[in-house]
Amino acid sequence: MIASLSAHPWAYPALEVVHLLGLAMLFGGLLVFELRLLGLAAALPLEALARLTLLPALLGFFLCALSGSLMFATQAQELLDNRVFLLKLGLITLAGCNAAMFHSRRGALQSADRTAQLHGLLSLGIWAAVIICGRWIAYS
């Protein structure tokens, strides 16, 4: 299958489109949720908004992971030698740890306290850095 990705002129660009759509779902959902967590539109119940935004964000993450893995397979050694790619992977791991810590806190979705807001700010910053690294890979 990997050989066909390299051989077909539309395969890799199609994967990039899937990757970008996944990224839009991921970051868009997180952005809306994190902004509410930070106090914007405080009248919206946090738990209801989480149900609306976090499932599409999670689906977007899996689209990115699947398409990214397939793109990685076409040029694995080149990417493993790229510091920006490795930084991107590290940031994704950090984002996952941040999300796990946020959701493991008792009552995290009931109140937007300072700790929850810190997780939200950190999430937005990390994912923005992931996006920047993703674009920078081609230039490093």
Side-chain angles (χ1 to χ4, degrees):
M1 175 168 177
I2 300 308
S4 64
L5 287 176
S6 299
H8 194 283
W10 292 100
Y12 198 88
L15 281 176
E16 287 182 323
V17 168
V18 171
H19 201 70
L20 287 173
L21 289 173
L23 180 60
M25 291 172 64
L26 169 63
F27 193 73
L30 288 178
L31 179 64
V32 170
F33 179 76
E34 308 299 8
L35 289 175
R36 166 55 187 91
L37 195 60
L38 293 169
L40 213 63
L44 294 173
L46 199 54
E47 288 183 72
L49 189 63
R51 283 191 301 275
L52 178 66
T53 59
L54 296 184
L55 184 58
L58 193 57
L59 179 59
F61 175 80
F62 285 114
L63 281 175
C64 285
L66 177 63
S67 58
S69 296
L70 290 171
M71 289 188 295
F72 169 79
T74 66
Q75 52 189 340
Q77 192 56 55
E78 182 181 335
L79 287 169
L80 288 173
D81 292 337
N82 187 314
R83 288 185 192 173
V84 178
F85 176 75
L86 297 177
L87 176 60
K88 178 182 176 180
L89 291 182
L91 288 167
I92 292 169
T93 302
L94 185 60
C97 291
N98 181 54
M101 288 178 7
F102 172 79
H103 289 286
S104 70
R105 289 183 56 235
R106 184 177 296 280
L109 289 176
Q110 283 77 35
S111 69
D113 62 8
R114 291 283 179 215
T115 303
Q117 290 176 341
L118 180 61
H119 281 289
L121 277 175
L122 195 55
S123 174
L124 288 177
I126 294 168
W127 283 111
V130 167
I131 293 168
I132 291 166
C133 286
R135 285 303 308 137
W136 212 306
I137 290 170
Y139 304 105
S140 61

